[in-house]
Amino acid sequence: MPHKVSFPQFGDYWIPFEHLVTRGLEAEYVVPPPMTKRTLELGGKYSPDTACAPFKYTLGSLIEALEAGADLLVETGGACRLGYYGELQEQILRDLGYSFEFVNLAGANYSKPLTLLPFLKKINPHYSLPRFAMAGLAAAKMVDGMDAVDDFVRKNIGFEREAGAFEAARADFFRELRAAADRKEVSAALSRCLERMKKIPTDKPERPYRIGVVGEYYTIMDPFSNHNLEWELAKKGMVIERWMNLSGNRLEPAKKVREKIRRYTKYNMGVTCMSTIDCALTCAKKGYDGIIHVKSFGCTPENDAIPVLQNISRDYKIPVLYLSFDLQTGEEGLSTRLEAFYDMVVMRKRAWS
Amino acid sequence: MKAYLGIDIGSISTKGVVLDGEKNILAREYLWTEGNPVGAVKRLLAALRSQLTGAEVVSVGTTGSARKLIGVITGAAVVKNEITAHAVGTLSLHPDVRTVFEIGGQDSKIILLDQGVVTDYAMNTLCAAGTGSFLSSQARRLGVEVEDFGRIALTSQNPTPIAARCTVFAESDLVHKAQIGHSREDIIAGLCKAVVTNYLNNVAKGKAIRPPIVFQGGVSKNVGVVRAFEQAVGHPVIVDENGHLTGALGAAILARRSGKEAPFSFEIAEADFKTRGVNCGRCANQCEIICVYRDGKLLDAWGNRCEKGTVKA
């Protein structure tokens, strides 16, 4: 019997995970249900109170995956508290009485893919390496493609003439990705989608409002966690630029980043903090109209980025909106802040250009 | 004569102004929301109406935490967030303002302006410590009227330090300080100072505070807090007599600027409005949908996060 594998919800990235598991490892993949308030309630109930919000979101998602029939859970490692998520979540789920197998990738090193192999064996002892490598190439292409499509959507959805055109193109692309058998089919779907999106009629001004979104890894990439703030803002008629994504192909190596932001930070400040500062500085230098800093409440590295962002804001006269998300984030408070941010950006630009 | 109505419905108080085309105030009213925004607005409209003669309201703007609900009920041309409304309102009174401090019942904010343009702002994020409702509850605990707070604070020579980062801890600290024998005026002065420290360390963190500074919101009526602000920032702090109306003023000005005009009748003060919160139930997210009815007929509904929960009027 092949395992029924699952991984916590994380934006739409379950699509490449599913491909890796089903095509690469010939196991079943249980797509965790889309996150809802119930996910948060479950996660909040069984998590340590002071854990960062993504821990609670992903724990809730794992519980819902188990309920949906998963019998093998995968959790990732990471350079901050994320590195402890797996161990703690496994223990919490065992204490709750669930029976399952657990693969904690915290023991692997993603920059050395060979370290992943023993973990793959746990998912399917008889997996074929060439098959997995093929699926890996396709999944990597999917991630690149999804990131490229989302980037395009963020920059154009605010200007579409016919409401819903970009959303429909994106949804079709994601559907095609799920059906794609290999890398070639992924590439073809991507080209089709990009072609289609380029043809969508837009009314984009010559110099639109441009907003950079920077911040913590999970909250920034998971629209449910950040209340879909990117689309919400974009749809007011703004270009949204976000460098952080899973493919990370637009982020530079840490050493180079440190050199670029030397004026603001001397030491390595951990995980995404350096990229946050780097991306914010790039926005400021390019004359963007504003920056939004997104993090989960309790995220230490991103908390440390705030004073630096304040300095950048002062030096380049660029407004920064700081948003901290947790399980209690009220919809009203957020929309008030976003609306005021939009008004401010418009007012500044009208007055000074 | 054409007139413009601005309504600011806050958690604690509801404010309204009617302006003519030259931004002159024709009518004004300030009353308690008492947890019932619709009822408060009905009372507000009745009071404003009695002050008006020969003016015809052609456009309505709403702001404050109940702006959406009241916007639907009044058929508002503009429904605006508090920051923009306050900025616009303050600029109409003080065109050269650089910094606005605002401490209301439930939230506090700072707005920075340069040459009449908002350049930066911030709102308190998580806790309501240091806002108006915190001060009123502490006043009750100390057995004084919150209106007398500022006057009493000014009599203190030696304000007691109060740990006011968090409302609950501040309350414990306050009780403790009273139990070990600090005088009431020193504690009250300490509280005013703590409100200011909390504000400057949280809401105004990292912001360059430049004069002229205007202080608004219910707490601005507290001279103790005003004094503590002046001492902390080293600049005079302006408190306007109409400071509590600034949001409503901004909403009325924005309504006029929108150019959208629609017939408005004060008769809605007599209409029967009902609101109902329903849980969608079509998925596990259980969105809370608000439905607004006028005389039994559905006016509008919102709160759903996807199309499954759409309620049609």
Side-chain angles (χ1 to χ4, degrees):
Chain A
M1 272 289 275
H3 274 302
K4 292 179 180 149
V5 181
S6 196
F7 184 80
Q9 275 292 12
F10 178 31
D12 292 300
Y13 290 124
W14 56 272
I15 298 171
F17 299 151
E18 181 187 48
H19 185 91
L20 271 179
V21 170
T22 55
R23 310 249 176 188
L25 297 171
E26 294 172 285
E28 267 185 58
Y29 191 76
V30 177
V31 181
M35 284 206 253
T36 63
K37 277 185 213 154
R38 181 174 180 268
T39 322
L40 306 192
E41 273 163 28
L42 286 172
K45 190 171 168 189
Y46 300 117
S47 297
D49 191 40
T50 48
C52 33
F55 182 91
K56 301 175 186 177
Y57 283 73
T58 49
L59 180 66
S61 188
L62 288 175
I63 293 176
E64 289 187 327
L66 289 169
E67 289 172 351
D71 62 12
L72 186 150
L73 302 177
V74 182
E75 184 55 288
T76 180
C80 53
R81 281 195 208 169
L82 179 56
Y84 304 107
Y85 276 25
E87 194 166 339
L88 193 51
Q89 286 173 336
E90 180 186 1
Q91 191 58 54
I92 291 171
L93 294 172
R94 298 236 181 269
D95 289 349
L96 287 173
Y98 290 105
S99 67
F100 56 91
E101 290 191 45
F102 198 76
V103 173
N104 186 355
L105 297 178
N109 178 350
Y110 292 138
S111 55
K112 294 182 183 141
L114 287 180
T115 61
L116 279 170
L117 300 184
F119 296 97
L120 303 181
K121 251 200 158 75
K122 282 193 185 167
I123 296 173
N124 179 356
H126 313 293
Y127 83 98
S128 131
L129 187 57
R131 183 183 258 279
F132 181 75
M134 290 300 285
L137 289 175
K141 185 74 196 169
M142 279 185 193
V143 171
D144 285 351
M146 290 167 68
D147 289 347
V149 165
D150 274 337
D151 186 53
F152 195 91
V153 172
R154 281 194 290 270
K155 287 175 177 160
N156 292 286
I157 196 169
F159 312 99
E160 61 188 4
R161 261 182 227 154
E162 189 196 327
F166 280 104
E167 211 169 336
R170 182 182 182 275
D172 285 344
F173 170 60
F174 280 33
R175 242 192 312 278
E176 286 177 34
L177 280 189
R178 262 197 104 179
D182 53 26
R183 189 170 196 269
K184 222 168 110 192
E185 288 186 27
V186 174
S187 296
L190 175 61
S191 314
R192 269 199 303 281
C193 178
L194 289 175
E195 275 311 303
R196 175 174 166 190
M197 289 201 303
K198 277 177 199 146
K199 288 196 192 111
I200 293 176
T202 56
D203 297 304
K204 203 169 176 177
E206 203 173 298
R207 171 87 176 75
Y209 302 112
R210 293 178 303 167
I211 303 295
V213 178
V214 300
E216 171 248 310
Y217 208 70
Y218 185 87
T219 309
I220 201 171
M221 281 194 243
D222 184 62
F224 183 77
S225 301
N226 64 41
H227 298 241
N228 211 4
L229 81 96
E230 292 176 328
W231 279 26
E232 199 127 299
L233 263 185
K235 283 180 178 174
K236 291 180 194 284
M238 293 173 145
V239 167
I240 306 294
E241 176 81 76
R242 188 238 282 166
W243 280 267
M244 187 81 70
N245 53 36
L246 197 58
S247 50
N249 49 11
R250 298 160 70 209
L251 291 174
E252 290 172 280
K255 224 174 173 177
K256 214 169 154 196
V257 168
R258 230 157 104 184
E259 187 54 34
K260 282 203 305 187
I261 60 174
R262 206 174 42 166
R263 198 177 140 205
Y264 290 96
T265 56
K266 194 167 169 189
Y267 302 104
N268 189 341
M269 293 167 73
V271 267
T272 53
C273 182
M274 309 293 277
S275 325
T276 292
I277 296 169
D278 180 33
C279 295
L281 188 59
T282 309
C283 290
K285 284 184 174 163
K286 283 188 178 167
Y288 273 45
D289 299 290
I291 295 169
I292 298 192
H293 181 238
V294 175
K295 68 172 173 68
S296 55
F297 180 65
C299 173
T300 312
E302 288 297 331
N303 241 333
D304 293 345
I306 291 179
V308 183
L309 297 186
Q310 285 169 343
N311 290 341
I312 293 175
S313 165
R314 200 161 35 228
D315 293 349
Y316 290 87
K317 298 200 170 10
I318 181 168
V320 183
L321 176 65
Y322 302 94
L323 295 174
S324 201
F325 292 88
D326 75 341
L327 304 187
Q328 315 291 337
T329 301
E331 203 80 37
E332 270 314 302
L334 179 67
S335 62
T336 297
R337 285 163 179 84
L338 288 181
E339 202 189 301
F341 191 74
Y342 172 78
D343 285 347
M344 172 171 69
V345 164
V346 171
M347 215 199 249
R348 281 168 69 108
K349 186 130 168 187
R350 276 202 199 130
W352 291 330
S353 58
Chain B
M1 183 182 40
K2 280 187 181 179
Y4 306 87
L5 167 62
I7 310 177
D8 176 0
I9 321 94
S11 56
I12 305 289
S13 62
T14 296
K15 288 78 70 171
V17 291
V18 179
L19 301 183
D20 65 11
E22 306 296 314
K23 296 188 200 167
N24 296 311
I25 297 180
L26 304 175
R28 72 187 80 191
E29 187 60 31
Y30 176 97
L31 40 82
W32 300 121
T33 309
E34 292 169 350
N36 176 5
V38 177
V41 167
K42 283 182 170 187
R43 284 184 285 129
L44 183 86
L45 290 177
L48 290 173
R49 184 186 203 176
S50 67
Q51 298 172 30
L52 287 175
T53 44
E56 186 204 347
V57 172
V58 293
S59 193
V60 180
T62 60
T63 187
S65 42
R67 61 186 179 278
K68 190 160 181 182
L69 173 63
I70 304 305
V72 166
I73 285 175
T74 57
V78 172
V79 176
K80 221 15 141 183
N81 63 82
E82 302 89 304
I83 304 216
T84 309
H86 271 272
V88 169
T90 312
L91 283 168
S92 76
L93 300 170
H94 306 275
D96 58 342
V97 64
R98 294 293 307 273
T99 308
V100 178
F101 295 158
E102 208 264 355
I103 305 186
Q106 290 284 317
D107 63 21
S108 51
K109 44 192 165 281
I110 182 167
I111 310 175
L112 304 182
L113 303 100
D114 190 6
Q115 296 167 42
V117 176
V118 177
T119 56
D120 202 0
Y121 76 88
M123 281 175 90
N124 61 331
T125 43
L126 289 166
C127 180
T131 61
S133 45
F134 167 66
L135 283 180
S136 356
S137 63
Q138 298 320 313
R140 221 169 301 129
R141 172 176 286 282
L142 293 165
V144 300
E145 294 295 321
V146 72
E147 289 81 358
D148 298 328
F149 234 59
R151 195 179 43 73
I152 298 172
L154 291 189
T155 64
S156 159
Q157 296 300 317
N158 188 21
T160 305
I162 308 271
R165 163 138 319 230
C166 158
T167 309
V168 177
F169 293 161
E171 195 160 294
S172 332
D173 199 36
L174 184 143
V175 172
H176 169 68
K177 293 288 158 65
Q179 303 295 60
I180 62 172
H182 286 270
S183 76
R184 200 164 68 171
E185 64 267 21
D186 286 348
I187 289 176
I188 289 175
L191 262 182
C192 293
K193 219 174 142 181
V195 165
V196 168
T197 312
N198 206 15
Y199 178 91
L200 293 175
N201 286 343
N202 288 297
V203 186
K205 188 89 191 168
K207 311 271 181 224
I209 295 167
R210 297 197 175 87
I213 301 165
V214 175
F215 179 22
Q216 299 169 345
V219 177
S220 70
K221 304 285 173 194
N222 181 325
V223 286
V225 176
V226 177
R227 159 88 71 88
F229 259 129
E230 288 183 328
Q231 282 171 350
V233 300
H235 295 293
V237 169
I238 305 164
V239 179
D240 210 285
E241 182 202 347
N242 285 328
H244 56 292
L245 297 176
T246 323
L249 210 57
I253 294 171
L254 287 166
R256 189 179 67 116
R257 270 193 213 159
S258 75
K260 285 187 229 160
E261 295 188 1
F264 170 83
S265 163
F266 280 97
E267 299 299 326
I268 61 167
E270 274 99 62
D272 175 39
F273 289 100
K274 279 222 163 57
T275 55
R276 201 161 64 92
V278 281
N279 272 20
C280 172
R282 288 196 174 81
C283 82
N285 202 52
Q286 301 271 349
C287 291
E288 292 158 46
I289 302 173
I290 300 294
C291 302
V292 185
Y293 302 86
R294 176 179 177 164
D295 298 325
K297 209 172 136 269
L298 183 69
L299 269 186
D300 201 354
W302 60 83
N304 46 308
R305 273 178 91 163
C306 80
E307 66 280 1
K308 277 190 225 156
T310 313
V311 183
K312 293 241 166 61

